[in-house]
Amino acid sequence: MPTDPLRPRVLGHLWSHFTWRHWCHTPWRTVILIGILALGVAVFFSIRLANRAAIAGFQLFSENVTGTSDLVITSPAGKLPVTVLPQIREALGDLPAGLFPVLESTAVLPSDTVAGHGQQTFEMLGVDLAALSNIVYLSGGSEVPLNVRMSPVTAASGPPIYVTRAAAEAHRWRENEDVQLTIDDSIHTLHVAGFLPSSEFSIQAPDRLIVIDLPALQQLTGQTEEIHRVELRIPSGHWESEWRRVARERLEKGSEERWLVETPDQRRESGRMMTQAFRLNLSILSCLALLVGIYLILQALEAAVVRRRPEIATLRALGVSPFAIRRAWQFEALILGLLGTVIGLLLGWALAQLTVRAIAQTVNTLYYSNTTEAAAWHWGEAALASALGILASGVAGWLPARDASLTPPAQMLQRGTRADGLKVLLKPWVGIVFVLLALAAHGAPAWRTAQGGVLPLGGYVAAFFWVAGAGILAGLWFPCIARLGGRLGQRVPELFYAASQLLQATGRHRLATAGLVVAVAMAGGMSILVGSFEQTVQRWLDQVMKADLFIAPQGSGNASSRNRLSEQTWRALIADAAVANAEVSQFHRIRYEGVPVILAGVGFEGALAPESGPIWLEEPESMDPPPGVDEIWGVMSEPFAYRFHHAVGDMIDVPTPTGVLAVRLVGIYADYGNEFGTIAIERETLARAFEDSRAARMAIHLRSGESLTETQERWARSFPGMVISNNRQLREEAVRIFHQTFAVTHGLKWIGILVAIAGLGLALASMLLERSRELATLRALGMTPARTARATAWESLGIALAGLVTGFLLSVVLGHLIVYVINRQAFGWTLLFTLPWQEFLILALGVCAVSGLVGYGIGRRQAASLRTGG
C-alpha cells in the first residue's frame, strides 16, 4: 500500500491537465463512450419504469374505493354471497368498523362482433354510493374518496354511472347523456350522471374507471345475490391500530373458510407476484445491454491508456506514484459513469414512455387489467439504475487503471509497442473454470418465494458464468483464423498482414471479441427463445383450434375481463340448426395453496377428447370414475403440475363458494395460455359448485354444408354483445399477441449488437495506435492508405468471425438453458427447441458487413493521420 495519499489538489491537477485536455482533444470519443453507457442505463431504467407502471395500473384498479381500507375481505374462490355481510358483522362483534361491499364487472364499447378483439375495456365498480358518505366520519373528516351525488334518473334513462373526465373527453360523453356499453353479452343503455373528481381520490383515478351504484350493477350482471369483496374501515384515532389488529383476528377466527382477510399491501403483493417471472426476465435482458456497455468502457479506457502512455511515463518520471495514477484513472471512469448515468436516466424515462404501452398491453392480455399509458419517474428505480451504471463504469475502469499504474515507464515511452491488455483474457484456464461453474449451476433447483413464486436463480447464475467463460475462450479461435487467412492471403498482402496480427492477438483483440460474443449470444439466445416459443404455440394452436367458430363476450381479450355469456345465449347458439356440436367452457380464478390458479369447467367428451383435445403429456385412460367410485375426476395443466409438484393419481382439495371439492387428477396436458396452472373438471360440476351457469367461451362445429361466413354474420346481427371469430381470425389474434409480447426483446438484442460493434471500432483504433511505428514503416515501403484500410477491414472481420462463431455456439447453450431450465422453472412450460437458422444467417451477414465497414473506416482514418503526421 503506498504511503503517499492522493491529495485533492493533485487529483484536480491531474484531472485538468491529464483527463480534461484529452476529452477536449477527442470529444467524439468521449461523447460516444458516455452515450453508450447512457444507453445501457437507459434500457435498464426504462424497462424497470415500464414494469412498475404496469403494476401500478393494476394497483389503481385494485385500490380500495374507500380510499385506504384497513382490511379487504374476499372469497377463496369466486364471489361472496351477500348473506356474508351479517356474518362478517357478527364476527366483528362490538368493534366499530364500516363495511363497504364492492362488485366488479367489465364494460366494453359496442363494436364489430366479427373482428372485436383488442377493444378498449372499462373497469366497472359497483359500490354503495350512499354508504360511502360515512367514510368522512371514519376518517376523521379528512377523506371522501368518491364524492358523487345521487342524481335523479328519468324513466327513459338507464342506471346512472360516474366516469372520469378523461374518458368523457375521449369518447365525447356529456353529463346527463345516455351512452351504450356492452356488459357480459348484452348491450345496455347507461346514464352519465356525473364525473369522478380525481382531486378527491387518494390516488389518481384510472381513465377507464366507471363507478355505479351496487344494486344497479347487480341487476345488470344478473348477480343480485353476490359481491366480489368487502372493504373494512376502522375509525381514525388513538385506538385505530389496536382495533385493526383485533378486527383481523376476529375475522380470521370466524371465517370458517368462507372468506379470506387481506391488507391492501397483500393484495398489491399478489399482483406483483403474478408477473414477477415476466418482470425478472425483462430486467435480466436489460442488464445484458449494460453488460455489453461494460466491455465497451473497458475497450475505450484501454485505448486511452495506449494514447496517453508518454504522458503517464512522464508523470511517473516526475515522481507521481502508481497509486495516484490509478486513482486518477478510476476518477475518470467515475466521472464517465456519472455523466452517462445522468443522461441515461433522462433517456430511460423517455424510452419508458415508448415501451410502457407495449408492456402494459402484454400484462393486460396475460395477467390482469391495467390502464397504464405513461411511466412516472421513480426515485427508487433511478437509484438502482444509477448504482448499476456507476458500478459498471467503476468495474470497467479498474483494470485499465491497474494497467496504467503498473506498466514500467520505459515501456510506456516506446510509442508503438504492443501491450497485452487484459491479461485474464490470455488465460484459457480461467474460462474453463467459469464453464465448470456454469455446468454446476445449470442443474440448480429453482428458488421458491414465500408467496409461491418461482425464480430460476440457478439458471441466471449459469448464464453469467457461460457468458464470462465463453468471452475468455473465444480467443482460442485466433490461431485457426490466422492460419486460414495466411493460406488464403498468399497473393493478397492485406489479408496476409491481417492474419499475422491475429496470430499474435493481444488482450485487446480478445476484449473486442468478448464484447461481440456477449451481444451475438444475447441476440441468438433471444431468437432461439422466440422461435421455440412460436413453433410450440403454433403446434398448440393447431391442436386446440379445430372448431369452425369461436364465441366469446366482448372484452374477452383482457385477462381480467369478467364478461360472460348468459345461459340463455349459449343454449340458443347450441340449438341453432347450423350447429353440429359445441364445447362450452367456464373459468374461475381461485386460490390454491395461497397462489392464484384457474379452475376450468369443460366438457370431457368434447374439449378433452383425444381427437380434438389438448396436447397430452400424460393422457388419462378414462375421464369418468368407474362404477361405485364417488369421486370428481379432473386434469391439470403442465404449469400446475410443476408449480405444486402434483402427479397423476393425486387427490387435491379445490375451494369453491359452496364448499371444498375433492378432485382426483388423472391427466396432464400442455397449456401455454396460463403460467399459474389450470385444473379442469366437468363443466356441469363446476356450474353447480359456483352456482353460475354462464360461459366464458364456446367452440362451435358447424354441420356439413353450412356456410361459415353466413353463419358468422347472422349471429353477429342477432347477438351484438359477442365476439365471433373463425379459426383464421383467432389464429391471427393469437399471433398478434405473441409478437406483441416479444416486441421489447427484439429491440434489446439489436441495441446490444450495435454497442458491441462500436466497441470493436474503439478496439481497432487503439490497436492501430499501438502499431503506429509498424504502419509508418509499411507506409514508407509503399503500402497505400487504401491497402491499410483493407488490411484493417480483414482484421476486423477476423475478430468478428471469432465473436460470431463463439457467440452462436454460446447462443445455442443459452437457448437450451432458457428453454429447458429458466423457462421451465419460471413458467412451467415445455417448449420445442428450435434453431432459427434464417435469423442466424441474417445476423451473421449483418455483423460481418458492419464490422468490415467499421474496420475499413478506422484503418483509412489512421492511415490518413500517419500521412499528415497527426
Side-chain angles (χ1 to χ4, degrees):
M1 183 73 183
T3 57
D4 54 330
L6 183 61
R7 297 183 177 87
R9 182 178 178 183
V10 177
L11 181 62
H13 183 79
L14 289 176
W15 161 254
S16 60
H17 292 80
F18 183 62
T19 300
W20 178 251
R21 183 168 57 85
H22 281 280
W23 282 16
C24 295
H25 183 63
T26 57
W28 65 272
R29 289 177 180 170
T30 305
V31 169
I32 290 176
L33 186 60
I34 294 174
I36 293 298
L37 180 62
L39 184 60
V41 172
V43 169
F44 178 83
F45 187 46
S46 65
I47 295 297
R48 298 283 299 184
L49 282 184
N51 277 329
R52 180 174 286 275
I55 298 297
F58 165 72
Q59 289 175 7
L60 290 174
F61 274 150
S62 66
E63 194 69 38
N64 314 298
V65 298
T66 60
T68 307
S69 293
D70 295 289
L71 296 172
V72 180
I73 303 166
T74 59
S75 172
K79 295 178 283 293
L80 291 166
V82 293
T83 55
V84 82
L85 290 172
Q87 296 170 357
I88 292 173
R89 176 58 67 187
E90 182 181 354
L92 289 171
D94 57 354
L95 277 179
L99 300 181
F100 303 90
V102 178
L103 180 67
E104 299 179 21
S105 186
T106 308
V108 186
L109 289 173
S111 63
D112 182 2
T113 58
V114 176
H117 291 285
Q119 303 144 306
Q120 187 177 82
T121 60
F122 296 86
E123 189 78 0
M124 297 195 72
L125 291 182
V127 296
D128 188 342
L129 297 179
L132 285 180
S133 60
N134 295 328
I135 295 178
V136 69
Y137 304 107
L138 293 172
S139 60
S142 61
E143 183 181 11
V144 184
L146 284 175
N147 186 19
V148 294
R149 56 186 174 82
M150 301 292 290
S151 303
V153 181
T154 63
S157 300
I161 60 173
Y162 301 88
V163 302
T164 63
R165 292 189 179 275
E169 293 173 1
H171 303 290
R172 299 180 180 178
W173 294 343
R174 293 188 296 271
E175 192 172 7
N176 295 319
E177 179 184 67
D178 289 345
V179 299
Q180 287 191 325
L181 291 172
T182 301
I183 303 174
D184 287 335
D185 57 359
S186 302
I187 298 177
H188 297 274
T189 299
L190 305 172
H191 182 76
V192 179
F195 301 116
L196 297 175
S198 58
S199 61
E200 295 183 358
F201 264 99
S202 59
I203 54 175
Q204 181 66 32
D207 290 346
R208 296 197 294 272
L209 175 65
I210 295 177
V211 174
I212 185 172
D213 199 28
L214 176 61
L217 187 58
Q218 289 176 317
Q219 289 291 335
L220 290 173
T221 59
Q223 303 174 81
T224 55
E225 301 299 323
E226 295 173 318
I227 54 177
H228 278 104
R229 67 178 187 268
V230 179
E231 297 182 10
L232 183 144
R233 286 295 300 266
I234 299 293
S236 301
H238 179 72
W239 294 96
E240 181 179 357
S241 298
E242 179 64 17
W243 284 342
R244 186 185 302 114
R245 182 189 64 80
V246 174
R248 181 162 191 173
E249 289 180 354
R250 291 183 178 181
L251 288 172
E252 289 177 344
K253 183 179 180 181
S255 71
E256 298 179 356
E257 300 184 349
R258 291 173 295 178
W259 59 71
L260 297 175
V261 184
E262 298 177 302
T263 65
D265 288 341
Q266 288 174 319
R267 284 175 56 80
R268 287 190 287 269
E269 182 59 33
S270 176
R272 284 192 291 268
M273 187 271 291
M274 289 174 67
T275 59
Q276 65 181 0
F278 173 76
R279 292 181 288 116
L280 180 61
N281 282 338
L282 279 181
S283 296
I284 294 296
L285 291 176
S286 63
C287 283
L288 287 175
L290 196 57
L291 179 61
V292 178
I294 291 178
Y295 279 105
L296 184 62
I297 299 170
L298 269 169
Q299 291 162 349
L301 293 180
E302 282 279 297
V305 170
V306 174
R307 292 195 305 272
R308 303 181 204 172
R309 276 180 178 175
E311 296 181 36
I312 296 173
T314 302
L315 291 172
R316 292 285 302 278
L318 293 174
V320 180
S321 68
F323 175 77
I325 292 176
R326 182 182 302 180
R327 289 297 180 268
W329 278 103
Q330 290 177 334
F331 182 70
E332 180 174 349
L334 178 63
I335 295 298
L336 287 172
L338 286 172
L339 292 174
T341 297
V342 171
I343 297 174
L345 292 179
L346 297 176
L347 179 61
W349 180 82
L351 286 175
Q353 312 312 312
L354 301 177
T355 59
V356 65
R357 293 193 181 187
I359 292 177
Q361 286 172 0
T362 300
V363 171
N364 200 48
T365 301
L366 300 180
Y367 298 102
Y368 45 65
S369 178
N370 70 89
T371 57
T372 302
E373 294 188 356
W377 182 274
H378 190 273
W379 286 107
E381 299 293 355
L384 178 60
S386 300
L388 285 178
I390 295 172
L391 178 63
S393 61
V395 170
W398 181 80
L399 289 172
R402 183 176 179 274
D403 187 19
S405 64
L406 297 181
T407 305
Q411 180 180 341
M412 287 189 174
L413 287 172
Q414 297 175 10
R415 184 178 177 87
T417 58
R418 296 175 184 271
D420 291 333
L422 297 180
K423 294 182 175 59
V424 68
L425 298 175
L426 303 174
K427 301 174 181 178
W429 66 268
V430 177
I432 294 174
V433 170
F434 284 159
V435 169
L436 293 176
L437 291 173
L439 290 172
H442 196 98
W447 178 53
R448 297 180 180 269
T449 65
Q451 294 79 20
V454 180
L455 300 179
L457 295 183
Y460 290 124
V461 171
F464 171 80
F465 282 120
W466 275 118
V467 169
I472 296 174
L473 296 176
L476 298 178
W477 288 108
F478 283 125
C480 301
I481 296 174
R483 294 189 186 96
L484 178 62
R487 291 179 182 177
L488 298 176
Q490 293 293 333
R491 297 185 180 181
V492 184
E494 299 91 338
L495 177 57
F496 190 84
Y497 174 73
S500 69
Q501 301 304 316
L502 296 176
L503 188 61
Q504 49 183 337
T506 65
R508 305 192 201 287
H509 288 87
R510 289 170 167 81
L511 182 60
T513 305
L516 200 56
V517 165
V518 175
V520 170
M522 177 182 71
M526 290 182 189
S527 297
I528 290 174
L529 171 63
V530 175
S532 300
F533 210 124
E534 186 167 16
Q535 181 178 359
T536 304
V537 169
Q538 289 287 0
R539 179 186 170 214
W540 177 59
L541 292 176
D542 290 340
Q543 182 70 20
V544 301
M545 289 189 180
K546 294 183 177 179
D548 297 310
L549 293 174
F550 297 89
I551 315 295
Q554 290 193 13
S556 58
N558 183 315
S560 293
S561 174
R562 301 181 185 276
N563 283 351
R564 294 293 184 266
L565 300 172
S566 67
E567 182 177 8
Q568 179 183 2
T569 298
W570 64 258
R571 288 198 181 277
L573 290 171
I574 291 177
D576 192 286
V579 175
N581 59 73
E583 300 159 9
V584 181
S585 302
Q586 291 180 289
F587 301 98
H588 295 281
R589 180 163 289 174
I590 64 172
R591 293 284 188 91
Y592 182 78
E593 296 185 4
V595 178
V597 300
I598 300 297
L599 180 60
V602 298
F604 281 2
E605 71 288 349
L608 298 181
E611 66 276 4
S612 61
I615 299 174
W616 289 106
L617 302 178
E618 293 189 42
E619 185 174 354
E621 297 180 0
S622 172
M623 302 302 295
D624 297 314
V629 176
D630 186 17
E631 290 181 346
I632 298 173
W633 280 16
V635 295
M636 57 182 163
S637 67
E638 181 188 16
F640 182 87
Y642 177 79
R643 186 177 294 271
F644 299 103
H645 301 288
H646 282 308
V648 170
D650 288 354
M651 181 72 77
I652 63 173
D653 291 332
V654 178
T656 72
T658 56
V660 175
L661 294 181
V663 177
R664 185 170 299 280
L665 302 172
V666 297
I668 303 175
Y669 65 95
D671 181 16
Y672 303 99
N674 168 30
E675 70 190 67
F676 308 107
T678 299
I679 310 163
I681 63 175
E682 180 66 40
R683 181 184 55 80
E684 293 181 358
T685 302
L686 181 69
R688 288 193 299 269
F690 277 77
E691 298 178 337
D692 187 352
S693 58
R694 298 175 303 160
R697 66 185 183 211
M698 298 178 67
I700 304 289
H701 297 264
L702 300 180
R703 295 184 184 276
S704 177
E706 293 289 342
S707 171
L708 186 149
T709 303
E710 291 180 3
T711 303
Q712 187 176 10
E713 292 176 351
R714 176 166 58 85
W715 285 353
R717 292 189 298 269
S718 302
F719 303 96
M722 299 188 315
V723 174
I724 307 169
S725 304
N726 59 39
N727 196 297
R728 177 184 56 82
Q729 291 168 336
L730 199 57
R731 283 173 179 271
E732 290 176 351
E733 177 67 8
V735 171
R736 182 192 67 80
I737 293 173
F738 175 85
H739 289 298
Q740 170 190 296
T741 302
F742 288 100
V744 177
T745 62
H746 291 294
L748 288 175
K749 71 180 183 182
W750 287 113
I751 286 175
I753 292 292
L754 293 176
V755 170
I757 292 177
L760 175 60
L762 287 175
L764 286 171
S766 65
M767 287 186 287
L768 290 178
L769 187 60
E770 281 186 322
R771 304 201 301 261
S772 56
R773 287 187 178 182
E774 185 178 304
L775 293 175
T777 302
L778 293 174
R779 174 80 176 116
L781 294 174
M783 190 170 183
T784 63
R787 284 191 165 186
T788 301
R790 288 197 292 271
T792 310
W794 282 115
E795 186 175 352
S796 178
L797 282 172
I799 296 174
L801 183 59
L804 282 170
V805 172
T806 309
F808 282 138
L809 291 175
L810 179 59
S811 70
V812 174
V813 174
L814 291 181
H816 186 276
L817 183 69
I818 293 171
V819 169
Y820 292 112
V821 177
I822 294 177
N823 172 77
R824 172 74 170 153
Q825 292 181 356
F827 301 103
W829 295 331
T830 298
L831 304 181
L832 300 173
F833 188 81
T834 303
L835 288 178
W837 295 108
Q838 186 176 2
E839 288 194 33
F840 279 12
L841 179 61
I842 294 173
L843 179 60
L845 292 177
V847 169
C848 287
V850 176
S851 298
L853 290 174
V854 169
Y856 187 90
I858 294 293
R860 189 88 182 187
R861 183 178 182 278
Q862 185 64 28
S865 67
L866 289 173
R867 183 173 54 186
T868 59

